[in-house]
Amino acid sequence: MLKNLSKNAKQYQRHLQSTISIRKTRFDAQYTERHYTHATLISHFLTALSITFPQGERFFVETVRNVRDQIENPRLQADISGFIGQEAHHAQAHEQFNQAVQSPHYNLMHYNAAFEKEMKRLRTLTQRRQLAATVALEHFTALMAGYMLKYPEFMFKGLSPNMKQLWLWHAIEEIEHKHVAFEVYQTIFNHLPQRRRSMRTITIGFISSTTFMTADLLWQDRKNSLYSPQQLFKNIKALYGLGLMMLRLSPEYFAFYRADFHPEQLDQQELLEQGRQLLNPS
Ligand SMILES: [Fe+2]
Ligand SMILES: [Fe+2]
C-alpha cells in the first residue's frame, strides 16, 4: 500500500514536471560585433529579428499570464512557468545585444517607438486576440529556430562561440516551448477562425517588418555590405538562401491552418539534441 502510494506520488511528480528547462546564457554582450556571420546580410537579418525580441517576447509572456489562472492542468502550469522564464531571459539577452550593436551609424533604436506604439495597440485587443497573436508569432519563431538548427551551416556560418550562446541557445529554447502558448489558447479559447485570422495578419506584419528592417540595416551598413564586391557576392548568395528557406518552410507554415494542428506534430527531438551538443560540446 505504502509502496503504491509512493509510486503514485512519483508519477504525479513526473506529471507536474515540465520538460522546459530555464538556462542562463553564457552570451556576453561586450564581445558583440555588427558582423557576426559569414555573409553580412544574415547578420542584418538576425539583428532585425533581435530588434523585435525584447518588446515582443515580453508581450508574449503577458498574453499567457493574462489567462494563466484559468489553466487547471498542472503539467501545463509547469510548462507556462518554463515558458515565462525562458522568454524573460531571451528578452533580456537581446536587449543587451541590441544596445551593444547600436551606434549612430547602425541605428536599431529608432524602431523602438514604433514597436511601443504597436504593442500599445495590441494590448487594447481582447485577450483572445492577443493570445492568438502570440500563438502565431510563436509559430514563426519555432519555424525559424527549427531552420537554424537544421541548416546551421547557412544561418550560423562564421558565428563565434559567444554569438552561438545567443542564437543557438535561443533557437533551442524556442523549440522546447513551442507548444505552450498554443496549448493555453486551445484550452481556454479553442477558436479556430481567430487562430487562422491572426496568423494571416501576423504573416503580413512579420514578413514586411523583417524585410524592411533587414533592408534598412543593410543600407545603413552599405559600405561593408554592398560596396565590397566580396561581401556583395556573399550577400547575393545569402539572399537566395533566405528565399530557399521560405520555400522549405512553407509546408510547416501552412500546417498551422489545419484544424487538427498541434506544434508537437513536428517531432524535433533529434534536432534539439544536435543543437544542445553544438551549444555545449561534451
Ligand atoms: Fe524567445
Ligand atoms: Fe517563444
Side-chain angles (χ1 to χ4, degrees), residues 53 57 60 83 86-91 94 138 141 169-171 173-174 177:
F53 288 145
E57 299 201 299
F60 298 169
F83 165 81
Q86 287 189 336
E87 294 293 38
H89 277 117
H90 301 166
H94 281 279
E138 278 287 275
T141 51
W169 162 76
H170 195 166
E173 295 197 348
E174 283 307 316
H177 71 232

Side-chain angles (χ1 to χ4, degrees), residues 14-50:
R14 246 201 312 272
H15 186 62
L16 280 178
Q17 273 166 3
S18 171
T19 50
I20 301 170
S21 45
I22 304 163
R23 310 166 183 84
K24 225 177 141 35
T25 178
R26 279 178 281 150
F27 161 71
D28 189 337
Q30 63 170 314
Y31 301 113
T32 297
E33 289 168 1
R34 185 192 299 184
H35 308 122
Y36 47 91
T37 51
H38 177 67
T40 56
L41 176 68
I42 302 297
S43 294
H44 301 314
F45 171 71
L46 292 173
T47 302
L49 293 177
S50 182

Side-chain angles (χ1 to χ4, degrees), residues 223-277:
K223 221 171 116 191
N224 301 299
S225 293
L226 301 175
Y227 299 165
S228 145
Q230 206 191 5
Q231 264 308 325
L232 184 65
F233 178 69
K234 282 184 191 173
N235 286 338
I236 291 170
K237 262 178 85 178
L239 188 64
Y240 167 77
L242 288 175
L244 189 64
M245 175 184 81
M246 285 175 77
L247 208 67
R248 281 174 171 156
L249 286 177
S250 52
E252 286 171 45
Y253 165 76
F254 284 111
F256 185 88
Y257 291 95
R258 283 202 322 253
D260 66 346
F261 169 79
H262 188 285
E264 295 297 350
Q265 282 162 351
L266 184 67
D267 184 0
Q268 293 176 303
Q269 284 313 310
E270 211 174 301
L271 218 53
L272 270 180
E273 273 317 309
Q274 287 169 16
R276 289 175 192 133
Q277 271 295 321

